[in-house]
Amino acid sequence: MIVYKAMRTRACAQKRSITMAKNYFINTYGCQMNVHESEKIAGILLNKGYTACEAEGDADIVVFNTCCIRDTAEKRALGNIGVIKALKKQKPSLVVAVVGCMPQQEGVAAAIREKYPYVDIVLGTRNIAMLADEIDKVLLSRQNIKKRSDKKYRCFDNSLPENYLEIDENTPSLRTSYPNAWVNIIYGCNNFCSYCIVPYVRGREVSRDINSVLDEVKRCVDGGYREITLLGQNVNSYGNDLEDGTSFARLLHEIDRIEGKFRVRFMTSHPKDLTEAVMDEMAASSKICSNLHLPMQAGSDKVLRDMNRRYDRQRYLYLIDSLRSRMPDIGITTDIMVGFPTETEQDFEDTLDIVERVRFSNAFTFIYSPRKGTPAAKMEQIPYAIKQERISRLITLQNRITKEISDTYTGGIYEVLCEDVAPKHSGCVCGRTESGRLVTFEGCEQDIGKFFNVKITKSRSASLFGQKEGETL
Ligand code: 5AD
Ligand code: SF4
């Protein structure tokens, strides 16, 4: 609570006192990794004397932190980069930066340069820390209008800078998701699932030093954060590239020993790398939530093989059983993709079948989107209408299961961390159970960051409603 208030007060004070100050506006697309990277971008901009503003129209710099996991994500970002042209015309001093995954794809930085010439800065995923210098270069070049070729500065580097981790450790961050704090533990991905662009745009796995991670977690807990979410494309690979034998299980063990009342979640786990040791740590720990996001992608062995996932349905079901035998109340969520090039009707029915068997608390469902440069994009594609029909069947099934699971919560009392005011229910707040279920209950802003026992009175699809029984300390 203290941290939340302090952050808000500081932002307001800044707005009041520095009327001539420059403003920034960040558009974030994509996953939690990008949300956290936008916190780093905000930290860099604050350090440079910029202040957050509520509307793009008030900004002196607009940053697009992009995603390219699916075509829709890319189109959304490109559409908004197109729209900013009008603002730039009105306000030529505006600096426009496009950063993150999208420009890191082969040829895309050049395409942005060509199609959106008013974009001043383009940075890939591993050189966001250069933003401050790039802004200086742009501003300097504008003073020197004779040298037209120097007018635009762009920076794009596919290779991993040698001192990347060192630079990253020293990049400031403005946390915006109190009471949760995102903490990166590993960057990049080595898995090369055949449909996925991530390994191409985020490079190979690089784990942070365990002591740096532990220090950051301690600082967050001391600063009042009540939930720590460890981030990585594949957190289970944490430590594989370190020479000191550190593993993800050890990291969890060490984090659990940190004093204070707080929760730990992590994402994303790859089923092929989820070890017995990690499951044991989860079960034994008082701080690591009984909650796991375990992307399944498909329920057909053939499709899983073609996706290069390196597990089969039997192994996936084994993991689910192992988790539930250790933690009977665990909430398990997943990602599922339909319409992979080799998916037949029978393969899709195998997916429906495994969804029935596992009974996920929730599933994020996606239509396969071909990504240029990945092996699956070169395969013969299946018609979009079939993909749409499959996803709607899958969603109908999962909605039924989600609702059935929600119903089992009614009447029970669960500890909930209050995370925010409820956006759609006035006089109410919302937060999650340890298992990850969203609960709405009566409360006010002062409740944010506190733990409460909440009696569940009603359920509606994925949402639960309840009454506060009292604060838990
Ligand atoms: N098309 C559709 N969904 C994708 N995902 C990854 N790549 C693609 C793609 N090309 C999904 C996967 C992953 C989630 C983050 O996004 O399900 O787990
Ligand atoms: Fe993409 Fe697979 Fe890596 Fe996840 S594990 S980021 S799906 S390549």
Side-chain angles (χ1 to χ4, degrees):
M1 188 60 213
I2 299 157
V3 181
Y4 185 72
K5 258 194 168 165
M7 256 170 53
R8 291 206 155 177
T9 318
R10 193 176 56 199
C12 296
Q14 274 175 343
K15 258 181 214 158
R16 268 198 307 274
S17 64
I18 324 171
T19 41
M20 292 304 287
K22 290 184 164 187
N23 292 331
Y24 72 81
F25 189 93
I26 306 173
N27 290 291
T28 306
Y29 305 85
C31 62
Q32 279 78 9
M33 188 74 83
N34 273 15
V35 171
H36 185 38
E37 272 164 7
S38 285
E39 294 183 332
K40 292 183 184 172
I41 293 167
I44 293 170
L45 293 172
L46 264 181
N47 259 14
K48 269 198 87 59
Y50 286 85
T51 305
C53 64
E54 302 286 322
E56 272 180 340
D58 297 331
D60 298 282
I61 177 164
V62 175
V63 181
F64 294 90
N65 188 12
T66 60
C67 167
C68 59
I69 193 107
R70 283 170 288 278
D71 190 45
T72 41
E74 231 172 359
K75 285 223 171 87
R76 209 171 313 135
L78 287 173
N80 292 338
I81 296 168
V83 167
I84 209 85
K85 185 178 182 182
L87 187 63
K88 179 94 178 187
K89 229 176 177 175
Q90 274 171 24
K91 192 179 190 175
S93 63
L94 179 71
V95 177
V96 179
V98 177
V99 305
C101 292
M102 202 174 75
Q104 192 77 65
Q105 296 170 101
E106 214 186 316
V108 173
I112 292 173
R113 186 187 306 230
E114 181 123 325
K115 255 189 107 180
Y116 309 93
Y118 49 88
V119 171
D120 300 288
I121 298 167
V122 177
L123 292 174
T125 49
R126 299 230 168 165
N127 35 30
I128 280 168
M130 297 165 93
L131 184 62
D133 285 350
E134 292 304 307
I135 293 170
D136 287 343
K137 284 188 199 169
V138 168
L139 297 179
L140 205 73
S141 74
R142 284 177 181 173
Q143 289 167 7
N144 188 6
I145 44 170
K146 271 190 219 150
K147 289 173 78 181
R148 278 200 68 84
S149 59
D150 287 353
K151 224 178 137 192
K152 301 276 196 298
Y153 280 82
R154 290 182 179 83
C155 170
F156 189 73
D157 186 356
N158 248 322
S159 65
L160 179 65
E162 228 170 74
N163 53 349
Y164 170 68
L165 276 184
E166 197 187 311
I167 296 169
D168 184 65
E169 295 297 341
N170 293 316
T171 303
S173 170
L174 174 73
R175 296 191 184 275
T176 52
S177 56
Y178 178 82
N180 174 68
W182 308 108
V183 174
N184 266 128
I185 63 166
I186 180 168
Y187 297 94
C189 179
N190 290 356
N191 289 316
F192 289 92
C193 300
S194 66
Y195 51 81
C196 187
I197 193 73
V198 170
Y200 303 88
V201 296
R202 287 200 170 267
R204 298 295 69 73
E205 288 169 359
V206 186
S207 301
R208 280 179 71 193
D209 172 70
I210 188 162
N211 292 317
S212 305
V213 175
L214 294 173
D215 283 350
E216 186 175 346
V217 173
K218 277 183 205 139
R219 278 200 309 275
C220 291
V221 173
D222 290 347
Y225 288 88
R226 293 283 166 256
E227 184 177 79
I228 306 293
T229 306
L230 307 174
L231 291 178
Q233 251 72 44
N234 179 9
V235 288
N236 303 91
S237 296
Y238 175 76
N240 287 354
D241 57 316
L242 297 175
E243 272 155 27
D244 58 6
T246 304
S247 65
F248 185 51
R250 178 168 165 230
L251 176 67
L252 290 179
H253 186 79
E254 297 295 332
I255 291 176
D256 193 50
R257 292 176 52 193
I258 294 173
E259 275 185 32
K261 183 168 171 66
F262 66 98
R263 285 176 168 178
V264 181
R265 299 185 196 272
F266 51 85
M267 63 186 351
T268 295
S269 289
H270 195 306
K272 83 175 162 55
D273 298 315
L274 178 62
T275 60
E276 304 288 327
V278 166
M279 294 191 268
D280 286 343
E281 286 299 338
M282 288 178 75
S285 153
S286 57
K287 297 191 170 101
I288 302 160
C289 291
S290 278
N291 183 202
L292 188 68
H293 184 64
L294 194 64
M296 183 183 74
Q297 312 300 359
S300 141
D301 284 346
K302 182 198 81 194
V303 172
L304 286 170
R305 200 179 50 241
D306 293 346
M307 286 178 165
N308 192 29
R309 289 292 286 177
R310 286 173 279 170
Y311 56 85
D312 57 17
R313 51 187 279 135
Q314 197 191 344
R315 171 78 189 156
Y316 192 88
L317 287 168
Y318 166 80
L319 290 173
I320 300 295
D321 284 348
S322 305
L323 287 160
R324 289 197 171 131
S325 66
R326 288 169 169 93
M327 296 164 275
D329 296 328
I330 188 170
I332 303 173
T333 56
T334 197
D335 291 341
I336 304 171
M337 204 186 301
V338 302
F340 184 81
T342 60
E343 184 188 74
T344 61
E345 172 61 23
Q346 180 55 54
D347 294 319
F348 173 64
E349 281 171 21
D350 287 349
T351 296
L352 295 179
D353 175 70
I354 201 166
V355 166
E356 281 274 15
R357 281 171 198 243
V358 175
R359 295 181 66 77
F360 297 105
S361 355
N362 220 335
F364 298 90
T365 54
F366 306 105
I367 285 183
Y368 165 71
S369 165
R371 304 283 71 208
K372 203 169 152 213
T374 61
K378 295 182 196 103
M379 300 175 186
E380 195 183 330
Q381 305 295 313
I382 65 175
Y384 195 73
I386 293 181
K387 296 184 189 180
Q388 265 182 323
E389 189 260 344
R390 286 183 189 162
I391 200 161
S392 75
R393 280 158 72 196
L394 176 61
I395 291 171
T396 304
L397 170 61
Q398 182 57 47
N399 283 351
R400 195 198 82 215
I401 294 168
T402 301
K403 166 91 178 86
E404 284 167 4
I405 295 177
S406 290
D407 290 346
T408 65
Y409 279 75
T410 44
I413 295 171
Y414 296 87
E415 189 179 58
V416 175
L417 170 60
C418 178
E419 294 168 20
D420 210 343
V421 289
K424 290 184 195 150
H425 303 270
S426 81
C428 287
V429 288
C430 58
R432 278 174 300 159
T433 62
E434 192 191 328
S435 63
R437 283 268 148 172
L438 191 71
V439 184
T440 301
F441 55 101
E442 219 171 90
C444 59
E445 213 174 313
Q446 274 68 34
D447 292 334
I448 296 172
K450 292 179 185 165
F451 288 91
F452 296 99
N453 273 332
V454 177
K455 181 163 187 180
I456 307 301
T457 50
K458 201 168 72 177
S459 80
R460 210 169 53 208
S461 56
S463 308
L464 303 174
F465 297 84
Q467 258 162 14
K468 209 156 64 175
E469 297 259 300
E471 190 176 347
T472 58
L473 299 167

